[in-house]
Amino acid sequence: MDKTEEYLFEYKGYNFERSLVNIHVVESADDFEIRDDDVFIITYPKSGTIWTQQILSLIYFEGHRNRTEDIKTMDRAPFFEYNPRNLDFIKMPSPRIFTSHMPYYLVPKGLKNKKAKFLADTTSLFVCGAEDRTRATCMPVVGSRWFDHVKGWYEHRHDFNIQFMSYEDMKKDLRSAVLKICRFLEKELSEEVVDTVVKEATFQNMKTNPQANYHDILKYEIGVRNDEGHFLRKGIIGDWKHHFTVEQNERFDQIFQREMKDISLKFIWDINEE
C-alpha cells in the first residue's frame, strides 16, 4: 500500500516531511524579514547538510569550537521549514544561520538581491539515508527531484548572494573548503582557529559528538521507526559502486548527461578524480 501521503506533504510541487513541517512558516515565507547578515545553508536532503551546519557553527561560535556551550547544530543553524523545538526566529541574535532543503522558489523573497548569504551544496546523488549515487532510485522522497533542485538554484544564482560547494570537494580537502567558506562569509580566522574548525569537522569527530549530529535528537526527541543504522553513515565518496550494476550505472549516466548538459558545475564521482 502506498503510504506517501502519510509521510509527505506536497506544497507547490515540493514534498515536505509531514510530521515535521511548519506549514505556516512556509506559506508566510515571503513576509519573513531578512537581515543583511543572515546566512542560509541550502542543500538537497542527505547531501552534507549536517556537515555544513557544523562547519558554520564552528566558524561563527567560539563556544561551539571549544565545546564549552552545550548547544546542538540543530539550534545553531535551525531548519527554516522544520522547527521542532519552536525556536523564535525573530528573537535569534545576529548573525542568524538557517538551514533549508527548499527549492529557490519557496525561500523568502526578501533574500533576492540582499546581502544575506546562501551556501549551497551541489553534491552528487545519494541513496535514501546514505551518501551514495543511487538517490535516483528512491521515489517518492522528501523534497523534489535532485535535478530540479540543483538546476533551479544554479539557474537563478544571479538572484542571490550564493556560493556553491560540493560534498566531494569538502571531503577531498576540508581545510581548503573551510577557507573558501570563510572568504565567502567574510570571516577572518586565525590559523589556529581554522585548525580547530577542520579538526572538529572531520567525519569521525562529528559522528562521535552528540552536539554535532542528529542521532540522539532523532532517537529521543523526534522519534524513529527503528533503531537500525546511524544518521551519519560512512562519509565516503564513491560508495555507489557497491550498489549499482554496470547496466544501472550506464543508465544513470545517460539520464545525468541529459538532465545536466547545460549546467557547468563540476561533479566528482570518485575520490581519485581531479
Side-chain angles (χ1 to χ4, degrees), residues 36 79-80 103 179 188 212 226 263:
D36 284 346
F79 269 88
F80 185 76
L179 291 173
E188 295 185 8
N226 58 63
I263 304 298

Side-chain angles (χ1 to χ4, degrees), residues 29-251:
D30 287 344
D31 299 323
F32 186 75
E33 185 174 350
I34 299 298
R35 302 174 191 169
D36 284 346
D37 56 358
D38 283 344
V39 179
F40 275 72
I41 300 168
I42 300 292
T43 65
Y44 191 79
K46 300 306 295 182
S47 296
T49 310
I50 310 304
W51 198 10
T52 311
Q53 283 181 309
Q54 173 70 345
I55 290 173
L56 262 64
S57 297
L58 292 165
I59 288 173
Y60 274 99
F61 303 106
E62 181 180 1
H64 202 85
R65 290 195 297 270
N66 58 29
R67 303 195 189 189
T68 58
E69 298 176 356
D70 187 20
I71 302 177
K72 300 182 184 299
T73 53
M74 176 180 280
D75 298 322
R76 293 288 193 193
F79 269 88
F80 185 76
E81 64 270 30
Y82 302 118
N83 186 15
R85 296 190 179 187
N86 296 313
L87 299 178
D88 189 335
F89 294 161
I90 304 301
K91 293 182 179 180
M92 285 175 59
S94 294
R96 298 181 301 185
I97 304 173
F98 295 105
T99 305
S100 178
H101 292 322
M102 292 196 298
Y104 76 95
Y105 60 85
L106 288 182
V107 298
K109 286 186 177 179
L111 286 163
K112 289 189 175 183
N113 302 314
K114 292 287 185 178
K115 293 181 181 179
K117 299 178 185 294
F118 276 89
L119 197 64
D121 194 312
T122 60
T123 193
S124 54
L125 304 187
F126 295 119
V127 72
C128 296
E131 301 86 355
D132 211 291
R133 199 182 180 182
T134 54
R135 165 63 86 170
T137 67
C138 302
M139 295 297 289
V141 295
V142 172
S144 55
R145 290 201 320 157
W146 180 89
F147 296 115
D148 294 339
H149 178 90
V150 173
K151 287 195 295 185
W153 278 105
Y154 184 77
E155 291 169 351
H156 292 83
R157 63 192 181 281
H158 300 302
D159 295 334
F160 305 96
N161 183 12
I162 192 168
Q163 172 68 60
F164 290 97
M165 303 292 295
S166 80
Y167 177 95
E168 290 78 10
D169 283 335
M170 291 163 64
K171 184 66 180 179
K172 291 179 70 172
D173 190 344
L174 180 55
R175 185 181 181 84
S176 292
V178 168
L179 291 173
K180 184 176 183 179
I181 293 172
C182 285
R183 288 192 295 270
F184 174 66
L185 298 176
E186 299 179 280
K187 294 287 293 182
E188 295 185 8
L189 303 181
S190 68
E191 289 293 314
E192 181 180 4
V193 171
V194 171
D195 289 341
T196 300
V197 172
V198 173
K199 178 182 177 181
E200 291 296 319
T202 60
F203 182 82
Q204 191 56 42
N205 276 341
M206 285 188 58
K207 192 166 185 176
T208 58
N209 180 5
Q211 184 178 357
N213 68 70
Y214 283 15
H215 182 75
D216 288 350
I217 295 173
L218 288 175
K219 185 173 182 179
Y220 300 113
E221 297 182 31
I222 297 176
V224 294
R225 297 186 186 93
N226 58 63
D227 290 327
E228 297 177 5
H230 299 275
F231 192 81
L232 297 181
R233 198 175 68 100
K234 294 183 179 180
I236 63 176
I237 300 173
D239 198 38
W240 59 271
K241 297 176 183 178
H242 300 124
H243 298 270
F244 267 23
T245 65
V246 173
E247 182 180 359
Q248 287 173 329
N249 184 53
E250 291 175 350
R251 176 60 177 156

